[in-house]
Amino acid sequence: MALHGLGKVTIGVPNVDDTIAYYTDFGLEHHGHGVFATRNGGEQLEIVHAPTRRLVELTVAADDPDDITATTARLTRLGTAIQHDGTSVSAVEPITGTLVHVAVRPRIVIEPAVSPTPYNGPGRIDRWGRAPFLTRTDPVRPRKLGHAVLGSTDLETTMKFFTDGLGFKVSDYMGDKAAFLRCSVEHHNVLVMAAPVNFMHHTSWQVDDIDEVGRGAHTMLENNPERHIWGLGRHHAGANFFWYLKDPAGNFSEYYSDMDTVPEDELWSPEVLHGLQGLYAWGPPPPPSFLEPDDLAALMTGAHSAKG
């Protein structure tokens, strides 16, 4: 696969300073002016001002200029207006208005390599003595940006932009309401969902294992319990462990680990997941505010006002 993951997200929010403080607590490294880096992926988040919260820009990573040429050709066949400079191509997703860049970026390498976490099970002893997670005292710092989730008022058109235009592949569907799309070996890098208004649902950040998911969330909630949205649980689609929190602008952010992978040369048949299967395999049930964020009505009102 010529594309190999997400490079960066730029999120627009009305309360920049509060949101910067949140993602600093979340474990991302603030480089100043709202730009954040992950542990292994470099600068992968930027917070900018916007009247309402939204995904402003999304960068998709490609291997080389030939991949940019191929993406340019796909977008041109789709009839999409583009800007192209040889090492990147940019286009606006026509429904959500998100500016998407496909740019040549090096593949993310997890260094130093993470040793497998030893787990004991019935009749199987992989470790002796106290569990090693007890010695982890450093703050949880996400390794990389994993995926972003967009609500679109025209699911078919937005999906077509990512698949036919950019070259993403479909991993699974949530009935006829959403699609999990990948541009890497991970199960999904973008999820597009049908929504009454265009909005950003969440971003997701990879940590080492389920203990890091729990430790990260515990720290975030210790003095700010209002940040909790949903978790701990495990998804069916992607099979990753998850815990969702909410930033001060209303965007959800997810710690995740243990995502399904799809080798680039492996045949993969998308499943159509129905009901709760599309949401999770186990864990507490999702709260109503996860399915329909509390500010959705306000976002709809704002969108109608802007059109008027």
Side-chain angles (χ1 to χ4, degrees):
M1 182 179 289
L3 306 179
H4 57 83
L6 297 188
K8 181 183 176 184
V9 287
T10 300
I11 302 174
V13 299
N15 48 346
V16 171
D17 290 343
D18 290 343
T19 306
I20 286 174
Y22 171 92
Y23 286 100
T24 301
D25 290 348
F26 191 77
L28 301 178
E29 182 180 352
H30 190 209
H31 285 184
H33 305 288
V35 176
F36 290 86
T38 55
R39 191 170 178 181
N40 297 111
E43 294 182 351
Q44 294 201 281
L45 172 66
E46 184 171 1
I47 303 298
V48 299
H49 183 266
T52 58
R53 66 182 184 90
R54 60 183 295 262
L55 180 59
V56 177
E57 294 182 12
L58 179 69
T59 298
V60 179
D63 279 326
D64 55 50
D66 288 344
D67 302 325
I68 302 302
T69 300
T71 303
T72 300
R74 286 192 297 266
L75 288 167
T76 300
R77 286 195 297 269
L78 201 60
T80 305
I82 61 171
Q83 290 185 328
H84 175 249
D85 66 5
T87 60
S88 68
V89 59
S90 302
V92 175
E93 195 287 305
I95 305 303
T96 65
T98 301
L99 177 61
V100 179
H101 307 283
V102 180
V104 175
R105 293 180 66 134
R107 295 199 175 213
I108 294 174
V109 178
I110 305 299
E111 292 182 339
V114 181
S115 299
T117 304
Y119 290 107
N120 289 340
R124 174 177 53 81
I125 298 175
D126 291 338
R127 63 170 175 80
W128 299 89
R130 299 186 189 278
F133 85 90
L134 294 170
T135 64
R136 300 180 193 175
T137 57
D138 293 340
V140 171
R141 288 192 56 206
R143 294 280 182 177
K144 68 174 185 176
L145 169 66
H147 58 268
V149 177
L150 285 172
S152 171
T153 57
D154 185 340
L155 174 61
E156 183 177 353
T157 298
T158 301
M159 274 188 58
K160 192 171 184 180
F161 174 85
F162 279 98
T163 55
D164 295 357
L166 299 182
F168 281 59
K169 296 181 180 180
V170 178
S171 293
D172 288 310
Y173 297 95
M174 290 178 62
D176 59 354
K177 302 299 183 185
F180 295 88
L181 311 176
R182 70 183 187 277
C183 63
S184 74
V185 297
E186 288 203 320
H187 177 271
H188 57 281
N189 302 104
V190 167
L191 169 63
V192 181
M193 53 190 287
V197 64
N198 300 314
F199 76 106
M200 193 187 81
H201 189 273
H202 74 266
T203 56
S204 187
W205 305 85
Q206 185 188 65
V207 295
D208 290 349
D209 56 23
I210 188 173
D211 288 308
E212 298 298 88
V213 172
R215 287 206 315 122
H218 176 81
T219 300
M220 288 290 286
L221 298 175
E222 194 166 19
N223 296 313
N224 298 276
E226 74 283 356
R227 291 171 168 173
H228 173 73
I229 292 298
W230 184 30
L232 171 73
R234 190 164 196 172
H235 287 302
H236 178 101
N240 51 295
F241 297 107
F242 65 82
W243 201 314
Y244 293 91
L245 306 156
K246 184 168 71 172
D247 73 23
N251 304 297
F252 301 145
S253 59
E254 176 190 15
Y255 290 118
Y256 82 94
S257 70
D258 196 20
M259 174 80 75
D260 280 345
T261 58
V262 185
E264 294 181 13
D265 58 352
E266 180 175 309
L267 296 177
W268 177 274
S269 298
E271 293 184 22
V272 180
L273 309 174
H274 295 284
L276 294 179
Q277 185 185 39
L279 291 171
Y280 70 122
W282 58 256
S289 61
F290 182 81
L291 303 176
E292 293 188 7
D294 295 335
D295 63 349
L296 205 59
L299 293 173
M300 292 175 66
T301 301
H304 292 316
S305 298
K307 291 178 182 178

